[in-house]
Amino acid sequence: MSENTPAAPVPSDFIRDIVTEDLRTGKHAAIVTRFPPEPNGYLHIGHAKSICLNFGLARENAGRCNLRMDDTNPTKEDTEYVDSIQADVAWLIDGWADDRLGLKAPGDVSGSGVRLPAAVGKPLEPFFASDYFEQIYAFAEELIRRGKAYVCDLTAEQMAEFRGSPERPGKPSPWRDRGVEESLDLFRRMRKGEFPDGARTLRSKIDMASPNIHLRDPALFRIRHAHHHRTGDAWCLYPMYDYAHPISDYLEGITHSICTLEFEIHRPFYDWVLQSLDLPRALPRQIEFARLNLGYTVMSKRKLLQLVEERLVTGWDDPRMPTISGFRRRGVRPEALRAFAAAIGVTKFNGLTEVSVLETCIRDDLNRGAERRLAVLRPIRVVLTNIAEGETHWFDAVNNPEDPSAGTRRIPFTREVFIDADDFMEVPPPKYFRLRPGGEVRLKYACIITCNEVVKDAEGGVVELRCTADLETRTGGANAAKKVKGTIHWVSAAHAVDAEVRLYDRLFTEEEPEAGGRDFKSVLNPASLEVLSVKLEPSLKDAKPTDRFQFERLGYFALDVAYTPTGRLPATIPFVFNRVISLKDGWVKELKKG
Ligand code: ATP
Ligand code: MG
């Protein structure tokens, strides 16, 4: 499709204001952001918001954005997720990022003494928090030496009880004043694997009476005898997210560490970790923004995983899923998701974004570039009795009325054509302007036809319509100016390409599937997928996976990349097209007209 998408204006918001000010005052010579997913699931549209913000900031300010796998929790993470995240981020910023973005500088990028693997020529080579385990561990020993951390022998339950509640001050652990040497010795033995899971933790020593519960000596390291998807069995000690995160940011030279609002209350601990270590370089600053909540879907990876595992969808990339891979497979272009991120903006207020905002971005993106084609989704046969067998007329069809440079193509017209079942009614209601017994309708790009006879089977189902065509009403014909109220799409039966079309609807019947504590699986939409055997105009047999089409009056469609001719379908069904999005407004207009 043509790339005539106009450049979007550079967005402005409170985070961009902070960054601009930091560059203006010289606080930072250049900015470095990061997008840090945990590889425990596929990325969703909420992540897309964060990716567009972090990579967008880097792009607008000639800075850098690191893709970092936040893989500090061994039990839920998997290399399948690492690969999908890398592919999804690359896809989302494709054609948007310039060379700088996400490119890992070879060697020591951070100046911290941590050697990072050199770039291997692939953009978006990710960073891994697990590469920093040794450094994260060393900083923990340093905190012990500084009297800012101790090994605690309380069980998880005891720790929770001692921690108190926001209204009730916490109680210090009996191990809080354990000597530095003893804590160091125990911490090293924890690393060596001398103790079972849960026997001991390394805790920060901050303030058990703090009104902020996240400052009541939060844990830094826990014992977890578990296999890690990258470090294997090298460690039986894993850092807590809240401790590993500021250090990972610092090691990568991150200047602005952007996260969602739930982490606002964790920010004092983020700052405490970095300030307690007396680090030589500028410290990153954490900034929080509101996460995306979108109507008619769920967004947490845990819940999406349930849908996948319980086979309520076909996989993470099911086109009904709110995942980036789902949108991609459905036929949404990255431009549309980026336009969506720009449209919703960045704020400090949590709210629910209407799904129509996203749908409008997807529709607008496709409307500009998608070529028009004719397809019949629920075919009924029309026999044009005054056209001879073997007689073929070729008509010009406009490829894209929005883009004259897209030109025209020729479509064949023969004795037998298919029209959509919706476009014929035996006993139509008032103001129905499509085909009826004895009525007339225009076949788009061709001519007007008249319905003379309805042929039915024994059960009364319509088998075919016997009509006559008035070729003089075609463009250039003697009667070209003749007007009828309805115009419908059609396909020549002799030339039609058989295909499968999948129509998608929202995955849930409720805008807020979990409102009032309801089980989201109880409001799955049973009609979210409809599979149809359809007839396509012949030019569609050359469709490529990157093409997007508007099937006239039906919506925007794209080849299903998982079901291309070399894909998973039986050879008898060469193509599967997904409906990316319906026309909505177009339908309303067409129905009025038709
Ligand atoms: P989930 O709850 O879906 O599992 P998460 O926050 O645990 O999401 P992470 O892998 O930790 O997922 O997220 C990576 C980054 O994406 C984080 O910086 C997080 O703030 C951001 N992010 C996650 N969900 C959203 C959302 N709905 N809107 C905006 N940003 C999000
Ligand atoms: Mg998470």
Side-chain angles (χ1 to χ4, degrees):
M1 65 191 285
S2 59
E3 289 296 333
N4 52 3
T5 314
V10 174
S12 142
D13 53 63
F14 77 99
I15 296 183
R16 287 177 163 89
D17 291 346
I18 292 172
V19 165
T20 306
E21 187 62 9
D22 286 349
L23 287 170
R24 190 188 66 78
T25 59
K27 181 174 176 199
H28 301 290
I31 66 145
V32 186
T33 56
R34 87 286 173 269
F35 171 67
E38 182 179 356
N40 61 352
Y42 280 57
L43 298 180
H44 52 62
I45 178 104
H47 295 115
K49 175 179 181 179
S50 179
I51 294 166
C52 289
L53 174 59
N54 282 295
F55 281 90
L57 281 167
R59 171 175 171 270
E60 291 150 27
N61 296 288
R64 197 179 78 221
C65 179
N66 293 349
L67 169 59
R68 180 199 310 147
M69 304 296 165
D70 221 323
D71 57 350
T72 53
N73 181 356
T75 50
K76 291 193 231 134
E77 297 162 1
D78 195 274
T79 46
E80 176 197 344
Y81 299 137
V82 170
D83 295 344
S84 76
I85 289 170
Q86 198 173 346
D88 288 348
V89 176
W91 175 81
L92 184 58
I93 65 171
D94 180 44
W96 190 49
D98 64 35
D99 290 343
R100 273 187 304 277
L101 295 188
L103 266 184
K104 191 189 288 193
D108 179 359
V109 292
S110 63
S112 61
V114 179
R115 299 295 297 182
L116 296 165
V120 290
K122 262 194 283 174
L124 263 174
E125 190 63 16
F127 293 77
F128 291 88
S130 56
D131 285 348
Y132 314 141
F133 278 166
E134 197 62 56
Q135 188 81 39
I136 293 169
Y137 173 88
F139 279 140
E141 283 205 355
E142 180 61 23
L143 287 173
I144 299 175
R145 277 192 291 274
R146 288 167 179 253
K148 290 174 185 291
Y150 60 98
V151 171
C152 179
D153 300 359
L154 293 183
T155 63
E157 298 74 51
Q158 288 170 323
M159 257 172 78
E161 192 202 314
F162 277 51
R163 192 178 298 123
S165 66
E167 305 77 41
R168 192 159 49 85
K171 199 166 72 172
S173 159
W175 312 102
R176 199 170 198 261
D177 292 316
R178 182 172 248 165
V180 167
E181 286 314 316
E182 189 184 338
S183 273
L184 262 185
D185 173 60
L186 284 171
F187 189 46
R188 288 172 185 161
R189 288 165 56 197
M190 281 163 69
R191 177 177 181 170
K192 280 197 203 124
E194 289 187 21
F195 311 112
D197 286 6
R200 298 195 151 88
T201 46
L202 182 73
R203 295 178 70 176
S204 56
K205 192 176 192 173
I206 311 180
D207 179 5
M208 288 306 291
S210 170
N212 182 345
I213 224 155
H214 297 283
L215 289 179
R216 294 185 189 170
D217 294 7
L220 304 177
F221 265 98
R222 64 202 184 294
I223 300 173
R224 193 64 79 82
H225 290 267
H227 187 84
H228 186 278
H229 71 105
R230 290 187 84 242
T231 57
D233 297 315
W235 293 86
C236 60
L237 200 59
Y238 290 93
M240 303 303 290
Y241 173 86
D242 273 352
Y243 168 62
H245 202 86
I247 293 180
S248 305
D249 282 347
Y250 175 78
L251 293 176
E252 290 177 16
I254 303 300
T255 56
H256 299 83
S257 176
I258 299 163
C259 59
T260 43
L261 282 181
E262 325 79 271
F263 288 97
E264 193 163 16
I265 194 165
H266 299 241
R267 191 189 335 133
F269 181 66
Y270 181 101
D271 292 336
W272 179 91
V273 169
L274 296 174
Q275 282 160 8
S276 298
L277 287 166
D278 260 334
L279 297 164
R281 291 181 296 112
L283 301 184
R285 167 174 176 190
Q286 177 178 308
I287 307 170
E288 308 86 16
F289 73 106
R291 66 195 295 119
L292 169 70
N293 294 304
L294 189 64
Y296 293 97
T297 194
V298 293
M299 212 109 77
S300 105
K301 283 181 280 191
R302 195 171 50 77
K303 289 169 195 146
L304 298 176
L305 179 64
Q306 274 183 55
L307 294 175
V308 173
E309 284 187 335
E310 296 174 28
R311 297 179 190 273
L312 299 167
V313 293
T314 57
W316 285 99
D317 70 344
D318 187 305
R320 292 165 294 179
M321 289 280 269
T323 51
I324 295 181
S325 54
F327 285 113
R328 176 170 65 229
R329 177 150 162 221
R330 182 154 166 170
V332 171
R333 303 193 323 143
E335 288 83 347
L337 297 188
R338 299 196 304 247
F340 173 65
I344 57 178
V346 176
T347 70
K348 277 242 174 223
F349 307 100
N350 279 322
L352 182 69
T353 300
E354 283 186 33
V355 69
S356 61
V357 179
L358 173 61
E359 289 169 348
T360 301
C361 291
I362 295 171
R363 203 173 276 125
D364 287 352
D365 173 57
L366 295 179
N367 183 43
R368 274 191 293 270
E371 293 202 353
R372 276 49 170 173
R373 292 291 184 269
L374 297 183
V376 172
L377 298 192
R378 294 173 181 85
I380 34 176
R381 185 175 297 267
V382 171
V383 180
L384 300 164
T385 51
N386 62 332
I387 307 254
E389 306 241 8
E391 183 181 335
T392 308
H393 300 269
W394 291 89
F395 296 117
D396 285 330
V398 175
N399 283 333
N400 185 355
E402 308 275 321
D403 177 11
S405 72
T408 58
R409 68 191 185 286
R410 311 215 80 195
I411 50 175
F413 177 75
T414 54
R415 177 178 165 88
E416 294 194 4
V417 302
F418 292 111
I419 66 168
D420 247 311
D422 287 350
D423 288 333
F424 171 79
M425 279 187 94
E426 215 175 348
V427 188
K431 306 222 165 159
Y432 183 87
F433 297 124
R434 291 166 275 163
L435 201 57
R436 67 175 80 198
E440 291 181 316
V441 79
R442 180 175 281 280
L443 299 185
K444 190 152 190 194
Y445 306 117
C447 61
I448 293 172
I449 63 169
T450 306
C451 179
N452 306 310
E453 188 189 343
V454 182
V455 181
K456 296 186 190 172
D457 58 22
E459 283 79 50
V462 175
V463 176
E464 70 180 38
L465 305 176
R466 299 182 73 81
C467 303
T468 42
D470 180 359
L471 282 168
E472 289 308 325
T473 59
R474 67 180 170 191
T475 308
N479 247 335
K482 178 170 175 183
K483 292 263 183 293
V484 284
K485 282 196 166 160
T487 300
I488 63 173
H489 56 275
W490 55 279
V491 168
S492 160
H495 299 83
V497 176
D498 286 310
E500 187 173 300
V501 151
R502 298 176 179 208
L503 304 181
Y504 301 101
D505 200 351
R506 291 162 187 171
L507 194 48
F508 296 93
T509 53
E510 297 289 330
E511 185 173 30
E512 296 184 71
E514 297 174 284
R518 170 176 52 212
D519 174 11
F520 65 100
K521 288 178 288 180
S522 70
V523 289
L524 275 169
N525 178 2
S528 59
L529 169 64
E530 190 177 358
V531 179
L532 299 169
S533 296
V534 309
K535 302 287 183 183
L536 308 176
E537 69 162 83
S539 72
L540 282 166
K541 69 174 177 296
D542 301 321
K544 295 183 293 300
T546 49
D547 288 336
R548 302 290 183 277
F549 299 102
Q550 185 190 112
F551 291 176
E552 295 207 29
R553 301 175 68 228
L554 300 171
Y556 295 97
F557 292 76
L559 265 187
D560 189 321
V561 288
Y563 293 99
T564 54
T566 50
R568 303 198 288 241
L569 272 194
T572 46
I573 308 171
F575 295 113
V576 173
F577 279 89
N578 290 321
R579 179 154 75 186
V580 188
I581 191 117
S582 64
L583 288 176
K584 199 167 95 180
D585 304 344
W587 254 119
V588 175
K589 236 187 294 161
E590 287 285 339
L591 283 175
K592 279 207 201 100
K593 222 176 21 182

